[in-house]
Amino acid sequence: MPWSITVARVSGTDVRIHVTFLLFLVWIWAAYYRQGGTPAAWDGVIFVSLLFLCVLLHEFGHVIAARRYGIKTPDITLWPFGGIANLERIPEKPSQELVVAIAGPLVNVAIAAGLILYLWLSGFGAVPANRLAAIEDPANSMIVKLAGANIFLVLFNLIPAFPMDGGRVLRALLATRFSFGRATELAAMVGQGFAVLFGILGIFTNPMLIVIAVFVFLAASAEAGHAQLRDVSRGAIVSDAMITHFRSLSTQSTVNEAADLLIQTTQKEFPIVDGAGKLRGVLTRDAMIRALKEKGPECPVLEATPAQVPTVPARATLEAAIKALQESGAPAVGVADPSGRLVGLLTAENLGEMMMIRAARPKDYQGPWRRRLG
Ligand SMILES: [Zn+2]
């Protein structure tokens, strides 16, 4: 991710700080400076830094729980609005998702309990609840403020709305009764309900809430989209979804010939196939136009397609193919028969069409996929 600085690497996970977070610290310094001069400014920065250390530990709670199920986390990024652990995938079983989701807030419970216990043991006695709630109060000691902030983090994260952990907990609970897609749909609806509520509250109280509301609303919609794709792809194999009627280019074709095909067909991606029938690349419409402009009509098509295109067997699961499509960033995935010859193509657009058809079908219609797999 651009605009992020990698500051550490902890057992295979990069810890990154987004540039806006550093600006946020500068802003905190300035805001506290205006209130109480230099000492207050540094106090403010130290408090926010410690708070984000707690956020980072929270994210590592998710990371360590996910690792138990064999899921790696390439990176964690700290933003001014919190941390994001970029898990490789969501656990399949609802019970596992529940554990991964709850592990983050549990870290903050432990930190808050530890700090309160420390205060109690070191002779301050029990901390009254109103002290803990007054996170903004400069009269509070740093430890009391941190304990209060950790309790706030737990409560905030347990709001049952995506992208908060509570949204995932809710989905995991729903997924024990409904399909994963339906559970996500329901959890997303609850999340969007909360977003609307935040938005209305924000109008009357704190405009910051409106920003959070928009963020939550969009995150809930995105989550619902991902889950739908996963539900559609489950149990299907590549040959169910691939395009089988398409025109190909040969390795000797020029961009000019490709342009003719673009006009004659409705295709936007053209596979380039060598003499043995193997896929050598995919020429997209955009790459074609760019090559025409920059290199001229006689440019060989292979020179206009820099990216490697992955190939999957026709019997591979659709999930594996979607993963290959997303991870490679290629415009399409080639589908090959056992001898390696290209027999089909899978593009983001035709996956989208499949989702529309799937969504429009009657609920009880199981389709050929379910039948074949029993
Ligand atoms: Zn979390």
Side-chain angles (χ1 to χ4, degrees):
M1 191 179 294
W3 300 102
S4 300
I5 304 154
T6 305
V7 290
R9 190 174 167 83
V10 184
S11 60
T13 300
D14 282 341
V15 176
R16 295 166 163 202
I17 291 181
H18 197 259
V19 183
T20 51
F21 179 74
L22 298 176
L23 292 176
F24 176 63
L25 283 184
V26 173
W27 180 76
I28 290 286
W29 195 93
Y32 277 85
Y33 180 80
R34 282 177 57 188
Q35 279 181 15
T38 316
W42 286 116
D43 262 13
V45 168
I46 291 169
F47 171 66
V48 170
S49 301
L50 286 174
L51 176 60
F52 272 80
L53 183 67
C54 297
V55 170
L56 186 63
L57 292 172
H58 167 117
E59 297 307 326
F60 269 107
H62 294 307
V63 170
I64 291 164
R67 193 177 300 157
R68 273 190 51 190
Y69 305 120
I71 301 166
K72 290 190 209 120
T73 311
D75 56 83
I76 295 173
T77 307
L78 288 181
W79 296 77
F81 55 79
I84 292 181
N86 176 22
L87 267 64
E88 220 175 29
R89 60 186 168 84
I90 307 168
E92 277 290 320
K93 283 190 198 150
S95 58
Q96 296 181 349
E97 183 175 28
L98 187 79
V99 171
V100 172
I102 210 85
L106 272 184
V107 170
N108 299 111
V109 170
I111 295 173
L115 291 174
I116 290 169
L117 188 70
Y118 168 80
L119 286 169
W120 187 64
L121 290 178
S122 55
F124 288 94
V127 189
N130 63 338
R131 290 277 87 208
L132 287 172
I135 298 170
E136 292 280 297
D137 189 348
N140 256 341
S141 84
M142 191 78 88
I143 294 177
V144 173
K145 279 199 284 189
L146 265 185
N150 272 284
I151 292 169
F152 170 79
L153 278 179
V154 173
L155 297 178
F156 182 74
N157 271 296
L158 289 183
I159 295 172
F162 290 118
M164 268 81 82
D165 297 325
R168 297 183 190 286
V169 170
L170 177 64
R171 180 194 26 215
L173 292 176
L174 287 168
T176 57
R177 297 202 46 186
F178 304 96
S179 79
F180 182 79
R182 182 80 186 125
T184 305
E185 221 177 296
L186 291 170
M189 267 163 55
V190 174
Q192 286 172 335
F194 269 96
V196 171
L197 206 71
F198 286 166
I200 295 170
L201 268 175
I203 295 169
F204 296 109
T205 57
N206 189 341
M208 223 13 233
L209 267 179
I210 302 175
V211 179
I212 296 177
V214 172
F215 181 65
V216 168
F217 197 92
L218 293 179
S221 313
E223 195 68 43
H226 280 307
Q228 210 184 0
L229 187 63
R230 213 172 103 177
D231 242 24
V232 168
S233 62
R234 175 166 303 147
I237 64 172
V238 170
S239 59
D240 288 329
M242 68 186 184
I243 306 169
T244 50
H245 294 281
F246 55 85
R247 298 284 296 274
S248 309
L249 297 162
S250 81
T251 44
Q252 279 87 43
S253 305
T254 62
V255 173
N256 205 29
E257 290 164 40
D260 285 343
L261 269 189
L262 181 69
I263 304 291
Q264 289 160 12
T265 67
T266 54
Q267 257 172 272
K268 291 188 204 74
E269 294 93 5
F270 296 90
I272 304 165
V273 178
D274 65 15
K278 287 196 168 70
L279 181 68
R280 296 287 301 275
V282 169
L283 184 64
T284 62
R285 186 175 59 180
D286 293 346
M288 193 188 299
I289 303 297
R290 209 178 314 122
L292 265 177
K293 256 197 266 180
E294 290 168 7
K295 297 178 179 165
E298 294 309 312
C299 168
V301 283
L302 273 181
E303 271 181 39
T305 51
Q308 282 284 317
V309 173
T311 308
V312 293
R315 301 288 302 169
T317 63
L318 194 52
E319 270 175 300
I322 291 172
K323 206 170 165 221
L325 185 67
Q326 286 171 342
E327 281 176 4
S328 66
V333 170
V335 184
D337 69 8
S339 67
R341 292 182 68 88
L342 184 74
V343 292
L345 271 185
L346 212 60
T347 65
E349 193 185 345
N350 94 286
L351 283 171
E353 286 167 352
M354 209 176 82
M355 278 170 60
M356 283 193 292
I357 293 167
R358 184 68 187 249
R361 268 187 198 144
K363 282 267 185 246
D364 51 351
Y365 179 77
Q366 293 286 299
W369 314 331
R370 296 286 165 88
R371 235 180 296 136
R372 175 168 44 231
L373 289 148

